[in-house]
Amino acid sequence: MFHKKRSLPSLQKRILILNLVTAVVLFFACTSILFLLVYNVLSGYVQNDLAFVLRQTLSNMEDKTLLVEDTYLRLCADRELHTILLSDTGIGGMQKETKKILQSQSGLYLERNTSNLSLPFLDMVYLFDRNDQYMSCSYITYNANIQQTWNREYETIYHRFLKTHEESQIIRSRNHINIIRKLYSSNQEYIGTVIFGINENMFIEMASPFSSYPGSFWMIFNNMNDRILASRGNTLERTDVEAITLRSGQSAITYRAGYTDYLVCSLSFRMGLGGIVGIPENYFTSLLFGSVKSYLLTMGGAILLFGLIMIIVYARVFRPLSDMAAKIQLVSRGDLNTRLPAYPLWEYNTISIACNAMLDHIEHLINDVYEKKILIMDNEMKYLQAQMDPHFMYNVLNTIALNAKIDGNEEIYRMTTNFMGLTQARLSHGGNPFVSLEQEMQYVKFYLEIQKSRFGDKIQYSIEIPQELYRAKIPKLALEMLVENSVTHGIEPKYGPGHVSVCAEIKDNELLITVEDDGVGFKGIEGTVPLPLQRHNLKPGHNRIAINNTYLLIKHYYGDAYGLHIESYQDKGTTVHMHLPFEVWKEGSNYV
C-alpha cells in the first residue's frame, strides 16, 4: 500500500525552500555586476598605460636606429672621405686617414650608443671602396684572430650584396643585424659601400620589459615586412605585419593572431627597419585582478560559503536518489533480490514501493517463463553452431581437394583450393583486422580464379601493383569485396565477356587502389555515385552491401579523410577508388 501524501513532507516544499535560497544568489549577482562596472572603468586606464609602454619601447628602438642614420649621413657628407674613396689608390693608399675618419664619424663611443649594461647598439662599421678594399672600426678591440674572422665574414656579406645590385639590404649574421648601403658622391657617383653591424642583443634588452608579460611578443622587420628578429613564440607572418602597420601607425590597436587578441603597436624606424610589440588583452584582466584582489577574495569567500551551504542542503535532500541509483545498479548486475527501503519523503517512498513491486514481478517472470525459453533457445543454438562450424567446412573442402588431386582432376583441385583459401579468410574472426596488400591480393586471386572456373572466358582480369606496395597495410577483405562487387553486379549481368582490373599507386602520401570494370554499371547513374548507397534505390537481391560495408569500415578505422570514390556510367562500367593512408605492414602488428 502507498503511504498517504499528507503523512510525509513533500519534495515540492523542499524545492520551494531552495528557490528562496536562490534569492540570496541574486544578491551576489548584483554585487558582481557592480564589480564589472568598476572593471570596465579601470580597464580603460590600464589599457592606456600599457599602450604607452608599447609606444615608448618602440620609440627607444627608433632612437637607436637614428644613431645609425646619423652616422650614414655624416659619412655621406664627409668630403675628405669622398676624396679618399675616389682616389686611384682608394682606402689601401690612405688607411690611417680612413681609419681616423671612420672612428670620428661612426659615433661608436657616444653615450646614446650604449645601454645601461654598457652594451653598444652600433657594434662595428665596415667601409668598402670601389676596389673592394675596406676599413673597419668596432666598439670592442678584438685580437688578431677574432678580427680576422670578422673580416672574412663581412667580406662575404659585401660580395653577396654586390651580386644583388640593390641599393641597400638588411641581413642577419650570427648575433648582428647588418644594414648595408651604398655611398654616393655629391654628383651621385657611386664611391663605396658601408655596412653597419648592429648588436641584436640591444633589441632584446630594449624589449626585456615585455618578458614579465605572459604571452607578449615583439618583432623587428625590414621595409619588405620580412622578419629580421623576433621573440620566442612569435607566429606573425608577413601578412600580419602588413595588416598591423597599415592599421596601427603609431597608435595601439587590437589585433587577433591565432586564437588570441593582442594590444599591438608598430613603428617604422630609420634605415629600413621597423618594429612591432604586442601584449595579450587577457593580461589586462590579471592586472585588474591585482588592483581589486581584496574585493575578489571577500567575494570569493562569501561564494564558497554559500556553495558549501548549498552542497549540504542538496546532499540531504537528494541523498535518497543516490541510494536508489546504487540499488538499481545492483539490479542491473543481476541481483534481483535487491529491494529499496522506505524513505521519509512521499515522492521517494512512492518510487521505492513501485520499484519493489516491479522487481517482484520480474523475478516471477524469470523463474517461471524466461529461464524455460532460454533453455530451449540454448539447445537450438548449439545445434545450429554444430552445423555451421567453420573447421568442419574447411576439413570437408580439404578432403575434396585432396581426392581431386589424387584422381588427377586439376580443375576441381584448383577451384576447391581457391575456394578453401577464400573461405578460410572469410571465416577467420580472431587476430588482426588488417593484412598486407600482398595477402589481400591472394584473396582477390582466389575469388577471381573461382569465377573464371565458373564462367570461363567471360571474365578476364589484370593486376598492376608495384612490388614495393605489397607491404602496404589495408583492412582485411576490403579490396576482395570490391572486386566481388564488380564481378557480381558488373560483369555477370553483362552480355558478352567482361574485364576487371586492379591497380595501386602512392599519391600524395596516400595508398590509392583502383578497381575498374567494363560491366553494366549503376542503372540511371552517369558520373559520381553518392555514398553510402541507399538501399531503397537498388534492385531486390542487389543491395551492394559490400560497397557500404567497405565504405563504413574505412571511415571507422581512418576517419572522414579517407574512403571510397565511385564513378559509374550505365552500360559502360564502374571505377572504384579506395583512398587509404600509406602504412607499412609489420608482421605480428595489431590494430589499436
mmCIF file of all heavy atoms in Angstrom, residues 435-442 444-445 462-474 479 502-506 511 513 582-587:
data_model
loop_
_atom_site.group_PDB
_atom_site.id
_atom_site.type_symbol
_atom_site.label_atom_id
_atom_site.label_comp_id
_atom_site.label_asym_id
_atom_site.label_seq_id
_atom_site.Cartn_x
_atom_site.Cartn_y
_atom_site.Cartn_z
ATOM 1 N N VAL A 435 45.598 -6.802 -43.008
ATOM 2 C CA VAL A 435 46.526 -7.700 -43.689
ATOM 3 C C VAL A 435 47.396 -6.854 -44.611
ATOM 4 O O VAL A 435 47.116 -5.682 -44.852
ATOM 5 C CB VAL A 435 45.789 -8.792 -44.503
ATOM 6 C CG1 VAL A 435 44.999 -9.713 -43.608
ATOM 7 C CG2 VAL A 435 44.879 -8.146 -45.553
ATOM 8 N N SER A 436 48.450 -7.473 -45.138
ATOM 9 C CA SER A 436 49.257 -6.789 -46.144
ATOM 10 C C SER A 436 48.519 -6.805 -47.471
ATOM 11 O O SER A 436 47.648 -7.651 -47.718
ATOM 12 C CB SER A 436 50.616 -7.479 -46.278
ATOM 13 O OG SER A 436 50.458 -8.788 -46.791
ATOM 14 N N LEU A 437 48.881 -5.862 -48.344
ATOM 15 C CA LEU A 437 48.264 -5.823 -49.669
ATOM 16 C C LEU A 437 48.580 -7.099 -50.443
ATOM 17 O O LEU A 437 47.760 -7.578 -51.231
ATOM 18 C CB LEU A 437 48.767 -4.590 -50.431
ATOM 19 C CG LEU A 437 48.202 -4.369 -51.834
ATOM 20 C CD1 LEU A 437 46.684 -4.307 -51.800
ATOM 21 C CD2 LEU A 437 48.774 -3.109 -52.450
ATOM 22 N N GLU A 438 49.742 -7.677 -50.190
ATOM 23 C CA GLU A 438 50.102 -8.930 -50.858
ATOM 24 C C GLU A 438 49.136 -10.047 -50.468
ATOM 25 O O GLU A 438 48.651 -10.800 -51.306
ATOM 26 C CB GLU A 438 51.541 -9.307 -50.487
ATOM 27 C CG GLU A 438 52.021 -10.579 -51.160
ATOM 28 C CD GLU A 438 53.458 -10.898 -50.783
ATOM 29 O OE1 GLU A 438 53.950 -10.348 -49.776
ATOM 30 O OE2 GLU A 438 54.092 -11.701 -51.491
ATOM 31 N N GLN A 439 48.822 -10.169 -49.150
ATOM 32 C CA GLN A 439 47.895 -11.196 -48.694
ATOM 33 C C GLN A 439 46.486 -10.932 -49.229
ATOM 34 O O GLN A 439 45.772 -11.853 -49.640
ATOM 35 C CB GLN A 439 47.869 -11.224 -47.161
ATOM 36 C CG GLN A 439 46.947 -12.294 -46.565
ATOM 37 C CD GLN A 439 47.403 -13.705 -46.922
ATOM 38 O OE1 GLN A 439 48.514 -14.098 -46.614
ATOM 39 N NE2 GLN A 439 46.551 -14.461 -47.595
ATOM 40 N N GLU A 440 46.077 -9.645 -49.229
ATOM 41 C CA GLU A 440 44.746 -9.307 -49.720
ATOM 42 C C GLU A 440 44.627 -9.647 -51.212
ATOM 43 O O GLU A 440 43.577 -10.122 -51.664
ATOM 44 C CB GLU A 440 44.474 -7.822 -49.496
ATOM 45 C CG GLU A 440 43.112 -7.346 -49.957
ATOM 46 C CD GLU A 440 41.971 -7.856 -49.104
ATOM 47 O OE1 GLU A 440 42.246 -8.470 -48.048
ATOM 48 O OE2 GLU A 440 40.812 -7.649 -49.485
ATOM 49 N N MET A 441 45.682 -9.439 -51.979
ATOM 50 C CA MET A 441 45.635 -9.785 -53.389
ATOM 51 C C MET A 441 45.544 -11.289 -53.589
ATOM 52 O O MET A 441 44.990 -11.772 -54.589
ATOM 53 C CB MET A 441 46.868 -9.227 -54.114
ATOM 54 C CG MET A 441 46.851 -7.711 -54.275
ATOM 55 S SD MET A 441 45.317 -7.110 -55.030
ATOM 56 C CE MET A 441 45.306 -8.044 -56.552
ATOM 57 N N GLN A 442 46.061 -12.072 -52.637
ATOM 58 C CA GLN A 442 45.916 -13.526 -52.710
ATOM 59 C C GLN A 442 44.440 -13.916 -52.599
ATOM 60 O O GLN A 442 43.944 -14.775 -53.326
ATOM 61 C CB GLN A 442 46.733 -14.192 -51.593
ATOM 62 C CG GLN A 442 46.778 -15.710 -51.684
ATOM 63 C CD GLN A 442 47.522 -16.171 -52.931
ATOM 64 O OE1 GLN A 442 48.566 -15.655 -53.270
ATOM 65 N NE2 GLN A 442 46.963 -17.139 -53.640
ATOM 66 N N VAL A 444 41.959 -11.935 -53.412
ATOM 67 C CA VAL A 444 41.338 -11.489 -54.663
ATOM 68 C C VAL A 444 41.541 -12.519 -55.769
ATOM 69 O O VAL A 444 40.613 -12.846 -56.528
ATOM 70 C CB VAL A 444 41.909 -10.116 -55.072
ATOM 71 C CG1 VAL A 444 41.437 -9.730 -56.472
ATOM 72 C CG2 VAL A 444 41.502 -9.043 -54.070
ATOM 73 N N LYS A 445 42.774 -13.042 -55.863
ATOM 74 C CA LYS A 445 43.053 -14.029 -56.904
ATOM 75 C C LYS A 445 42.267 -15.317 -56.669
ATOM 76 O O LYS A 445 41.832 -15.966 -57.629
ATOM 77 C CB LYS A 445 44.551 -14.308 -56.961
ATOM 78 C CG LYS A 445 45.350 -13.128 -57.497
ATOM 79 C CD LYS A 445 46.835 -13.440 -57.471
ATOM 80 C CE LYS A 445 47.637 -12.231 -57.984
ATOM 81 N NZ LYS A 445 49.096 -12.494 -57.919
ATOM 82 N N SER A 462 43.108 -8.274 -64.839
ATOM 83 C CA SER A 462 44.512 -7.876 -64.853
ATOM 84 C C SER A 462 44.845 -7.180 -63.538
ATOM 85 O O SER A 462 43.987 -6.525 -62.939
ATOM 86 C CB SER A 462 44.798 -6.933 -66.027
ATOM 87 O OG SER A 462 44.030 -5.749 -65.928
ATOM 88 N N ILE A 463 46.071 -7.346 -63.102
ATOM 89 C CA ILE A 463 46.532 -6.770 -61.827
ATOM 90 C C ILE A 463 47.840 -6.034 -62.078
ATOM 91 O O ILE A 463 48.787 -6.619 -62.613
ATOM 92 C CB ILE A 463 46.721 -7.861 -60.757
ATOM 93 C CG1 ILE A 463 45.381 -8.540 -60.449
ATOM 94 C CG2 ILE A 463 47.323 -7.269 -59.476
ATOM 95 C CD1 ILE A 463 45.501 -9.724 -59.518
ATOM 96 N N GLU A 464 47.862 -4.758 -61.725
ATOM 97 C CA GLU A 464 49.068 -3.931 -61.887
ATOM 98 C C GLU A 464 49.388 -3.257 -60.562
ATOM 99 O O GLU A 464 48.858 -2.193 -60.254
ATOM 100 C CB GLU A 464 48.855 -2.891 -62.983
ATOM 101 C CG GLU A 464 48.591 -3.474 -64.354
ATOM 102 C CD GLU A 464 48.422 -2.395 -65.405
ATOM 103 O OE1 GLU A 464 48.659 -1.223 -65.045
ATOM 104 O OE2 GLU A 464 48.065 -2.712 -66.544
ATOM 105 N N ILE A 465 50.203 -3.908 -59.776
ATOM 106 C CA ILE A 465 50.585 -3.383 -58.460
ATOM 107 C C ILE A 465 52.100 -3.448 -58.343
ATOM 108 O O ILE A 465 52.682 -4.530 -58.472
ATOM 109 C CB ILE A 465 49.931 -4.180 -57.322
ATOM 110 C CG1 ILE A 465 48.408 -4.049 -57.405
ATOM 111 C CG2 ILE A 465 50.425 -3.690 -55.965
ATOM 112 C CD1 ILE A 465 47.669 -4.824 -56.349
ATOM 113 N N PRO A 466 52.772 -2.315 -58.133
ATOM 114 C CA PRO A 466 54.235 -2.340 -57.963
ATOM 115 C C PRO A 466 54.647 -3.209 -56.781
ATOM 116 O O PRO A 466 53.935 -3.289 -55.766
ATOM 117 C CB PRO A 466 54.588 -0.867 -57.723
ATOM 118 C CG PRO A 466 53.434 -0.098 -58.287
ATOM 119 C CD PRO A 466 52.236 -0.961 -58.083
ATOM 120 N N GLN A 467 55.796 -3.854 -56.943
ATOM 121 C CA GLN A 467 56.258 -4.780 -55.908
ATOM 122 C C GLN A 467 56.426 -4.089 -54.559
ATOM 123 O O GLN A 467 56.153 -4.683 -53.502
ATOM 124 C CB GLN A 467 57.598 -5.403 -56.344
ATOM 125 C CG GLN A 467 58.109 -6.510 -55.418
ATOM 126 C CD GLN A 467 57.220 -7.748 -55.469
ATOM 127 O OE1 GLN A 467 56.616 -8.032 -56.493
ATOM 128 N NE2 GLN A 467 57.127 -8.470 -54.368
ATOM 129 N N GLU A 468 56.843 -2.794 -54.579
ATOM 130 C CA GLU A 468 57.111 -2.113 -53.307
ATOM 131 C C GLU A 468 55.842 -1.815 -52.515
ATOM 132 O O GLU A 468 55.913 -1.463 -51.335
ATOM 133 C CB GLU A 468 57.865 -0.806 -53.556
ATOM 134 C CG GLU A 468 57.113 0.198 -54.426
ATOM 135 C CD GLU A 468 57.430 0.031 -55.895
ATOM 136 O OE1 GLU A 468 57.952 -1.070 -56.278
ATOM 137 O OE2 GLU A 468 57.175 0.963 -56.660
ATOM 138 N N LEU A 469 54.663 -1.957 -53.151
ATOM 139 C CA LEU A 469 53.416 -1.680 -52.438
ATOM 140 C C LEU A 469 52.810 -2.918 -51.800
ATOM 141 O O LEU A 469 51.796 -2.820 -51.117
ATOM 142 C CB LEU A 469 52.386 -1.051 -53.396
ATOM 143 C CG LEU A 469 52.753 0.296 -53.982
ATOM 144 C CD1 LEU A 469 51.597 0.859 -54.777
ATOM 145 C CD2 LEU A 469 53.155 1.268 -52.884
ATOM 146 N N TYR A 470 53.403 -4.093 -52.048
ATOM 147 C CA TYR A 470 52.823 -5.296 -51.476
ATOM 148 C C TYR A 470 52.907 -5.333 -49.954
ATOM 149 O O TYR A 470 52.199 -6.095 -49.306
ATOM 150 C CB TYR A 470 53.511 -6.535 -52.048
ATOM 151 C CG TYR A 470 52.926 -6.981 -53.379
ATOM 152 C CD1 TYR A 470 53.717 -7.099 -54.513
ATOM 153 C CD2 TYR A 470 51.572 -7.270 -53.489
ATOM 154 C CE1 TYR A 470 53.175 -7.493 -55.726
ATOM 155 C CE2 TYR A 470 51.017 -7.668 -54.695
ATOM 156 C CZ TYR A 470 51.817 -7.787 -55.812
ATOM 157 O OH TYR A 470 51.275 -8.174 -56.996
ATOM 158 N N ARG A 471 53.759 -4.480 -49.352
ATOM 159 C CA ARG A 471 53.877 -4.455 -47.880
ATOM 160 C C ARG A 471 52.955 -3.420 -47.260
ATOM 161 O O ARG A 471 52.988 -3.193 -46.052
ATOM 162 C CB ARG A 471 55.314 -4.146 -47.465
ATOM 163 C CG ARG A 471 56.333 -5.163 -47.946
ATOM 164 C CD ARG A 471 55.998 -6.567 -47.490
ATOM 165 N NE ARG A 471 56.012 -6.683 -46.035
ATOM 166 C CZ ARG A 471 55.524 -7.708 -45.342
ATOM 167 N NH1 ARG A 471 54.965 -8.715 -45.993
ATOM 168 N NH2 ARG A 471 55.568 -7.726 -44.028
ATOM 169 N N ALA A 472 52.109 -2.793 -48.058
ATOM 170 C CA ALA A 472 51.159 -1.816 -47.514
ATOM 171 C C ALA A 472 50.101 -2.531 -46.669
ATOM 172 O O ALA A 472 49.727 -3.678 -46.929
ATOM 173 C CB ALA A 472 50.501 -1.032 -48.643
ATOM 174 N N LYS A 473 49.599 -1.821 -45.662
ATOM 175 C CA LYS A 473 48.592 -2.387 -44.754
ATOM 176 C C LYS A 473 47.208 -1.891 -45.161
ATOM 177 O O LYS A 473 46.991 -0.703 -45.346
ATOM 178 C CB LYS A 473 48.887 -1.961 -43.317
ATOM 179 C CG LYS A 473 47.919 -2.563 -42.295
ATOM 180 C CD LYS A 473 48.336 -2.217 -40.872
ATOM 181 C CE LYS A 473 47.979 -0.804 -40.530
ATOM 182 N NZ LYS A 473 48.181 -0.500 -39.106
ATOM 183 N N ILE A 474 46.247 -2.843 -45.302
ATOM 184 C CA ILE A 474 44.873 -2.475 -45.627
ATOM 185 C C ILE A 474 43.923 -3.316 -44.790
ATOM 186 O O ILE A 474 44.300 -4.379 -44.296
ATOM 187 C CB ILE A 474 44.559 -2.656 -47.140
ATOM 188 C CG1 ILE A 474 44.526 -4.143 -47.500
ATOM 189 C CG2 ILE A 474 45.576 -1.928 -47.996
ATOM 190 C CD1 ILE A 474 43.997 -4.390 -48.892
ATOM 191 N N LEU A 479 39.359 -5.000 -50.158
ATOM 192 C CA LEU A 479 39.563 -4.988 -51.607
ATOM 193 C C LEU A 479 38.856 -6.165 -52.267
ATOM 194 O O LEU A 479 38.275 -6.036 -53.353
ATOM 195 C CB LEU A 479 41.065 -5.006 -51.918
ATOM 196 C CG LEU A 479 41.460 -5.026 -53.386
ATOM 197 C CD1 LEU A 479 40.839 -3.853 -54.125
ATOM 198 C CD2 LEU A 479 42.967 -5.014 -53.525
ATOM 199 N N VAL A 502 42.744 -4.343 -61.416
ATOM 200 C CA VAL A 502 43.105 -3.858 -60.076
ATOM 201 C C VAL A 502 44.492 -3.244 -60.170
ATOM 202 O O VAL A 502 45.431 -3.904 -60.646
ATOM 203 C CB VAL A 502 43.095 -4.995 -59.038
ATOM 204 C CG1 VAL A 502 43.438 -4.445 -57.655
ATOM 205 C CG2 VAL A 502 41.740 -5.696 -59.000
ATOM 206 N N CYS A 503 44.613 -1.998 -59.736
ATOM 207 C CA CYS A 503 45.918 -1.345 -59.739
ATOM 208 C C CYS A 503 46.077 -0.526 -58.463
ATOM 209 O O CYS A 503 45.087 -0.196 -57.801
ATOM 210 C CB CYS A 503 46.116 -0.469 -60.979
ATOM 211 S SG CYS A 503 44.915 0.863 -61.125
ATOM 212 N N ALA A 504 47.321 -0.190 -58.114
ATOM 213 C CA ALA A 504 47.598 0.565 -56.885
ATOM 214 C C ALA A 504 48.772 1.489 -57.132
ATOM 215 O O ALA A 504 49.675 1.198 -57.929
ATOM 216 C CB ALA A 504 47.900 -0.370 -55.721
ATOM 217 N N GLU A 505 48.756 2.643 -56.428
ATOM 218 C CA GLU A 505 49.840 3.613 -56.528
ATOM 219 C C GLU A 505 49.863 4.471 -55.267
ATOM 220 O O GLU A 505 48.903 4.468 -54.491
ATOM 221 C CB GLU A 505 49.647 4.501 -57.752
ATOM 222 C CG GLU A 505 48.352 5.315 -57.722
ATOM 223 C CD GLU A 505 48.226 6.238 -58.915
ATOM 224 O OE1 GLU A 505 49.273 6.664 -59.428
ATOM 225 O OE2 GLU A 505 47.084 6.527 -59.325
ATOM 226 N N ILE A 506 50.968 5.174 -55.086
ATOM 227 C CA ILE A 506 51.095 6.134 -53.977
ATOM 228 C C ILE A 506 50.889 7.522 -54.556
ATOM 229 O O ILE A 506 51.555 7.930 -55.505
ATOM 230 C CB ILE A 506 52.478 6.045 -53.305
ATOM 231 C CG1 ILE A 506 52.674 4.671 -52.692
ATOM 232 C CG2 ILE A 506 52.609 7.117 -52.223
ATOM 233 C CD1 ILE A 506 51.694 4.345 -51.586
ATOM 234 N N LEU A 511 47.671 5.701 -50.160
ATOM 235 C CA LEU A 511 47.604 4.481 -50.960
ATOM 236 C C LEU A 511 46.304 4.531 -51.746
ATOM 237 O O LEU A 511 45.211 4.508 -51.167
ATOM 238 C CB LEU A 511 47.637 3.242 -50.044
ATOM 239 C CG LEU A 511 47.493 1.899 -50.761
ATOM 240 C CD1 LEU A 511 48.625 1.682 -51.751
ATOM 241 C CD2 LEU A 511 47.416 0.757 -49.761
ATOM 242 N N ILE A 513 44.023 2.639 -54.397
ATOM 243 C CA ILE A 513 43.755 1.359 -55.056
ATOM 244 C C ILE A 513 42.518 1.546 -55.937
ATOM 245 O O ILE A 513 41.492 2.042 -55.472
ATOM 246 C CB ILE A 513 43.523 0.237 -54.030
ATOM 247 C CG1 ILE A 513 44.744 0.107 -53.090
ATOM 248 C CG2 ILE A 513 43.252 -1.087 -54.721
ATOM 249 C CD1 ILE A 513 44.570 -0.910 -52.009
ATOM 250 N N PHE A 582 48.979 5.533 -46.346
ATOM 251 C CA PHE A 582 50.024 4.562 -46.653
ATOM 252 C C PHE A 582 50.770 4.180 -45.376
ATOM 253 O O PHE A 582 51.455 4.998 -44.781
ATOM 254 C CB PHE A 582 50.999 5.120 -47.688
ATOM 255 C CG PHE A 582 52.108 4.159 -48.020
ATOM 256 C CD1 PHE A 582 51.829 2.972 -48.689
ATOM 257 C CD2 PHE A 582 53.406 4.427 -47.641
ATOM 258 C CE1 PHE A 582 52.841 2.081 -48.989
ATOM 259 C CE2 PHE A 582 54.431 3.542 -47.943
ATOM 260 C CZ PHE A 582 54.141 2.361 -48.614
ATOM 261 N N GLU A 583 50.595 2.923 -44.955
ATOM 262 C CA GLU A 583 51.266 2.382 -43.776
ATOM 263 C C GLU A 583 51.891 1.048 -44.155
ATOM 264 O O GLU A 583 51.275 0.243 -44.853
ATOM 265 C CB GLU A 583 50.293 2.192 -42.617
ATOM 266 C CG GLU A 583 49.638 3.484 -42.141
ATOM 267 C CD GLU A 583 48.593 3.242 -41.056
ATOM 268 O OE1 GLU A 583 48.037 2.132 -41.009
ATOM 269 O OE2 GLU A 583 48.342 4.169 -40.289
ATOM 270 N N VAL A 584 53.097 0.831 -43.660
ATOM 271 C CA VAL A 584 53.807 -0.417 -43.976
ATOM 272 C C VAL A 584 53.354 -1.506 -43.032
ATOM 273 O O VAL A 584 53.301 -1.318 -41.810
ATOM 274 C CB VAL A 584 55.334 -0.215 -43.879
ATOM 275 C CG1 VAL A 584 56.056 -1.532 -44.153
ATOM 276 C CG2 VAL A 584 55.773 0.845 -44.872
ATOM 277 N N TRP A 585 52.971 -2.640 -43.595
ATOM 278 C CA TRP A 585 52.539 -3.787 -42.794
ATOM 279 C C TRP A 585 53.728 -4.388 -42.054
ATOM 280 O O TRP A 585 54.791 -4.605 -42.619
ATOM 281 C CB TRP A 585 51.898 -4.825 -43.712
ATOM 282 C CG TRP A 585 51.698 -6.168 -43.041
ATOM 283 C CD1 TRP A 585 52.473 -7.267 -43.154
ATOM 284 C CD2 TRP A 585 50.653 -6.509 -42.125
ATOM 285 N NE1 TRP A 585 51.980 -8.284 -42.385
ATOM 286 C CE2 TRP A 585 50.864 -7.858 -41.738
ATOM 287 C CE3 TRP A 585 49.575 -5.808 -41.613
ATOM 288 C CZ2 TRP A 585 50.014 -8.497 -40.858
ATOM 289 C CZ3 TRP A 585 48.735 -6.459 -40.739
ATOM 290 C CH2 TRP A 585 48.946 -7.774 -40.360
ATOM 291 N N LYS A 586 53.551 -4.619 -40.765
ATOM 292 C CA LYS A 586 54.572 -5.261 -39.942
ATOM 293 C C LYS A 586 54.009 -6.574 -39.411
ATOM 294 O O LYS A 586 52.918 -6.597 -38.842
ATOM 295 C CB LYS A 586 55.001 -4.361 -38.788
ATOM 296 C CG LYS A 586 55.688 -3.086 -39.246
ATOM 297 C CD LYS A 586 56.127 -2.262 -38.066
ATOM 298 C CE LYS A 586 56.795 -0.965 -38.527
ATOM 299 N NZ LYS A 586 57.201 -0.126 -37.378
ATOM 300 N N GLU A 587 54.756 -7.642 -39.599
ATOM 301 C CA GLU A 587 54.268 -8.956 -39.200
ATOM 302 C C GLU A 587 54.020 -8.998 -37.702
ATOM 303 O O GLU A 587 54.852 -8.571 -36.900
ATOM 304 C CB GLU A 587 55.297 -10.038 -39.563
ATOM 305 C CG GLU A 587 54.716 -11.439 -39.627
ATOM 306 C CD GLU A 587 53.739 -11.586 -40.787
ATOM 307 O OE1 GLU A 587 53.972 -11.004 -41.855
ATOM 308 O OE2 GLU A 587 52.725 -12.276 -40.595
#
